[in-house]
Amino acid sequence: EIVLTQSPGTLSLSPGERATLSCRASQSVSNYLAWYQQKPGQAPRLLISGASNRATGIPDRFSGSGSGTDFTLTISRLEPEDSAVYYCQQYDTLITFGQGTRLEIK
Amino acid sequence: EVQLLESGGGLVQPGGSLRLSCTASGFTFSKYAVSWVRQTPGQGLEWVSAISGSDDGTYHADSVKGRFTISRDNSKNTLYLQMNSLRAEDTAVYFCAKAPLGSCTNTRCYNFDYWGQGTRVTVSS
């Protein structure tokens, strides 16, 4: 099973700042990696697929990069509504999720 | 508008069984793979099972293999999860999720572009 490790566990930033979230895979997943945002009481929402392709309707403040084992989700110009838990997911070999990064907006 | 609506959750005793359903609308159901993903209280996401659009391929996570069975009825636009021999650690919110593809290719699968709101399963005596 491919294990995804996300860091940091929690990130606390102010509006307007930039957030950098990391996802590391235990073996290469090529670019078969997605990012999701989940707010309390809601289902996850797809942000990024194929490591760097924004999903429909996602603002260009959200960007993804990386390939192989190291991936990054960057959120520029943070807004209060970006407060959520962010998960990465690999789909190169079946499907696994990272444990999540909680982003708090001060 | 794509919609996925789960049902069938509830309280069940350890060792018991439960069948979850997910009714889909707003897209051609038979063309797309779908999965069940669960989330334990306060914890992260765990993929459970996947099935191809044409119902000719299924996959299950090791944690549920031999106990859970995923199936679909394309004539009813409905996905199912039959859960047997339930354990306390199966307690979770179960989401159905739609893939943008029809199937996994070998074991290379997919991300999820739409999710339901989930149904809660509690396994407790």
Side-chain angles (χ1 to χ4, degrees), chain B residues 28-110:
Chain B
T28 305
F29 184 65
S30 61
K31 287 190 175 181
Y32 296 96
V34 279
S35 278
W36 289 99
V37 177
R38 67 187 180 184
Q39 186 165 35
T40 52
Q43 300 300 313
L45 301 166
E46 180 188 12
W47 169 74
V48 174
S49 302
I51 187 166
S52 66
S54 56
D55 194 12
D56 60 356
T58 61
Y59 298 88
H60 296 275
D62 288 344
S63 58
V64 305
K65 203 169 289 184
R67 301 187 300 122
F68 289 13
T69 302
I70 190 171
S71 63
R72 64 192 296 161
D73 185 337
N74 286 341
S75 69
K76 296 182 178 179
N77 287 358
T78 302
L79 172 71
Y80 301 101
L81 185 67
Q82 178 66 43
M83 304 186 294
N84 298 329
S85 303
L86 282 161
R87 306 166 180 167
E89 54 264 37
D90 296 319
T91 294
V93 174
Y94 285 73
F95 296 98
C96 66
K98 171 191 169 292
L101 303 173
S103 66
C104 297
T105 302
N106 293 323
T107 57
R108 179 164 291 161
C109 288
Y110 36 72

Side-chain angles (χ1 to χ4, degrees), chain A residues 22-102:
Chain A
S22 174
C23 177
R24 177 164 288 177
S26 59
Q27 65 190 73
S28 177
V29 298
S30 184
N31 67 334
Y32 295 101
L33 189 108
W35 290 93
Y36 300 86
Q37 176 193 67
Q38 187 179 32
K39 297 181 179 180
Q42 296 184 15
R45 177 175 73 147
L46 177 66
L47 298 174
I48 302 285
S49 63
S52 61
N53 302 308
R54 269 190 305 278
T56 303
I58 302 303
D60 60 7
R61 301 185 295 105
F62 292 85
S63 63
S65 63
S67 66
T69 60
D70 290 298
F71 300 86
T72 300
L73 174 69
T74 302
I75 313 171
S76 62
R77 307 182 305 279
L78 283 168
E79 298 184 1
E81 60 263 32
D82 297 333
S83 181
V85 180
Y86 293 82
Y87 295 95
C88 58
Q89 175 225 334
Q90 69 81 22
Y91 47 103
D92 180 73
T93 304
L94 295 181
I95 296 162
T96 52
F97 290 89
Q99 83 280 17
T101 290
R102 181 176 303 277

